[in-house]
Amino acid sequence: MSENPGQGRLILLGAPLGNPADASARLREHLAAAEVVAAEDTRRLLRLARDLDITVGGRIVSYFEGNEERRTPELVAEIAAGRTVALVTDGGMPSVSDPGYRLVRATLDAGAPVTVAPGPSAVTTALALSGLPCDRFCFEGFLPRSGSARRTRLRALAAEERTLVFFEAPHRIAATLADLVTTFGADRPAAVCRELTKTYEEVLRRPVGELADWATQGEPRGEITLVVAGAPPREAVRPDDEELRAAVAEREATGTSRRDAISEVATEYGLRRREVYAVVHTA
């Protein structure tokens, strides 16, 4: 990203999930050089700085869910005054189920630049460790805390074919897994990923029903990322002959040749062209 001397900017810093050795060189550089460092937890920031053997050179301010709305205009004013503001959360990337989106949006609305120093991600780390398909996935963040709202959301996701990734608190994981059994079925493959990159990292790869039983044996500790396999692909239902004839006739009525109409209908319904041809010509 090109920089203009004297122009303020916001830098989002991807922080280690738990192992300080995962900190990037750019994270170290920006923590030391930024004129203002906004941290979700200032004590954890200072502990990280000690672990990395660096000194945070700028003014440190707290920026968390409780003061986000009030502090955002203050930080945007700092950026407008030409200062560099670095935003760091307790782990992972700001804005991803953490404070940050409001400040990013306000900074952009003020016409100031936003950049990022990428870092570890609990989402992709858990996904890779889960043993479940990673080519297409859907990140849902934290589910609703209310049981009824959580079940409603899960029912809406039950037919999703992509692998699903959730964040969950230790004291709610048992209830969430029980609701998954109800809405997704006990046999759906899943993985509970706990304390990622830390000393007591644990990944449990089991069907949802077995994980629900595990969760009732005592409240697990640490941050949890839950990965759940997508629903099996639904079998396509072949339309009946009358529907196929009607689809071809509808296209012919708009001026499409019968040959092209048959090809288009075959493509739309995932059928062989000769199958649609046979239906149309045996009417």
Side-chain angles (χ1 to χ4, degrees):
M1 172 182 171
S2 60
E3 297 183 28
N4 297 324
Q7 182 183 37
R9 59 176 177 156
L10 171 66
I11 306 176
L12 306 177
L13 304 181
L17 303 177
N19 190 332
D22 293 333
S24 70
R26 290 184 63 203
L27 172 68
R28 296 167 184 264
E29 173 190 341
H30 290 308
L31 282 180
E35 292 153 293
V36 180
V37 177
E40 185 177 10
D41 185 325
T42 57
R43 291 170 298 182
R44 291 185 66 164
L45 168 63
L46 292 173
R47 185 163 63 247
L48 175 62
R50 286 195 300 271
D51 290 339
L52 300 179
D53 194 26
I54 62 172
T55 299
V56 178
R59 183 168 65 93
I60 299 173
V61 299
S62 64
Y63 189 79
F64 59 97
E65 186 178 357
N67 72 357
E68 212 178 344
E69 185 172 358
R70 170 176 59 83
R71 183 136 286 168
T72 293
E74 300 173 12
L75 294 174
V76 173
E78 295 278 8
I79 295 168
R83 299 182 182 89
T84 295
V85 173
L87 176 61
V88 60
T89 60
D90 292 346
M93 181 58 61
S95 294
V96 182
S97 289
D98 275 335
Y101 168 75
R102 182 180 274 113
L103 180 56
V104 170
R105 188 66 263 165
T107 302
L108 293 173
D109 288 345
V114 178
T115 188
V116 63
S121 164
V123 178
T124 52
T125 300
L127 186 66
L129 284 173
S130 70
L132 297 171
C134 302
D135 53 337
R136 298 174 67 241
F137 69 94
C138 178
F139 175 56
E140 281 289 317
F142 286 96
L143 287 162
R145 297 182 181 185
S146 158
S148 60
R150 183 171 56 243
R151 288 186 291 275
T152 297
R153 182 63 192 147
L154 288 173
R155 279 193 290 270
L157 294 169
E160 172 59 61
E161 295 181 10
R162 294 172 292 180
T163 300
L164 295 156
V165 183
F166 305 93
F167 288 160
E168 193 51 278
H171 63 279
R172 288 197 299 268
I173 188 64
T176 293
L177 288 167
D179 288 341
L180 276 167
V181 171
T182 301
T183 53
F184 283 35
D187 295 331
R188 184 78 69 91
V192 169
C193 305
R194 189 182 68 83
E195 293 289 82
L196 291 172
T197 76
K198 300 177 185 177
T199 303
Y200 298 104
E201 176 179 286
E202 181 180 30
V203 181
L204 299 174
R205 305 173 184 87
R206 303 175 186 172
V208 165
E210 292 183 25
L211 289 173
D213 291 339
W214 162 81
T216 62
Q217 297 171 15
E219 183 178 308
R221 295 182 179 181
E223 298 175 352
I224 293 174
T225 305
L226 176 62
V227 187
V228 183
R234 288 168 290 184
E235 291 187 14
V237 178
R238 183 193 181 282
D240 60 32
D241 290 355
E242 286 303 317
E243 184 177 348
L244 291 175
R245 293 187 189 105
V248 171
E250 183 179 352
R251 285 166 171 76
E252 288 184 291
T254 62
T256 302
S257 69
R258 173 165 290 191
R259 177 187 178 85
D260 290 343
I262 289 173
S263 296
E264 290 176 11
V265 170
T267 299
E268 179 181 345
Y269 289 98
L271 301 172
R272 297 177 181 176
R273 185 184 181 282
R274 65 171 176 264
E275 185 177 354
V276 179
Y277 178 92
V279 168
V280 171
H281 287 87
T282 56

